[in-house]
Amino acid sequence: MRSPFRTMLARDVSLVCLADGIVGLSFGALTVAGGLPVWVPVLMSLLVFAGGAQFSAVGVLLGGGTPIAAAATGLLLNARHVPFGFAVADVLGKLRFAGAHLIVDESVAFTLAQSDPARRRAAFWASGLSLFVVWNLCVLAGTLVGRAIGNTDALGLDAAYPAVLLALVLPALRDRGTRRAALLGGAIALATTPFLPAGLPVLAALVGLVIA
């Protein structure tokens, strides 16, 4: 008989996979419809596996930026994974290299929600592996969709990723301290957006966490 924890974990991971799958579809479709070859989003998803960085890098490329600028933007956004790695280091064990590739916002959130070591490990690997498989399959499917429909703007696929991020953040805002840090960070990001290159306002928002 499955334990209540495993049942709840399977349910929650499935829901997040569903949401991320939709985002993966939109990423694949937008990339190919923008004129990039199919192998770009597929290979990027396998090697990078970070939705925000992938969307930003492709946005730079489609906007006429160089591959170096696209890579720098992705690296800036993924800088937040450094503290994430310290936060979940205890669950990686001997599989640190493979586990590091699965460190994304969602897998870290699932892990930090647990205090028991065994549950932390189960939450990390279950969510990380599931998201990796679903994301890559949906990105591949999205490339086929993008080639078929051509005009992805008509479907509003570009709104899928920020919508999922908002859904993930909302439950955490019940805590007053978290809400204060988020508001400060958001205000800083908005204030610096007109003056800083893409990606840097997100990092500047971390100042809100320090202040709060």
Side-chain angles (χ1 to χ4, degrees), residues 1-25:
M1 183 176 179
R2 180 180 288 185
S3 68
F5 165 71
R6 291 185 179 277
T7 300
M8 182 178 66
L9 179 63
R11 180 201 64 195
D12 293 346
V13 169
S14 297
L15 290 173
V16 172
C17 282
L18 175 61
D20 274 22
I22 296 173
V23 179
L25 281 169

Side-chain angles (χ1 to χ4, degrees), residues 76-133:
L76 282 173
L77 286 177
N78 277 355
R80 69 188 189 282
H81 288 181
V82 175
F84 284 177
F86 287 112
V88 301
D90 61 301
V91 305
L92 302 182
K94 296 180 179 180
L95 300 174
R96 289 184 179 275
F97 183 78
H101 195 54
L102 302 178
I103 295 177
V104 292
D105 301 277
E106 296 89 340
S107 62
V108 171
F110 276 112
T111 304
L112 296 182
Q114 306 300 325
S115 56
D116 177 73
R119 290 189 174 187
R120 283 170 61 86
R121 285 192 295 272
F124 176 81
W125 289 104
S127 60
L129 289 171
S130 299
L131 287 165
F132 182 79
V133 172

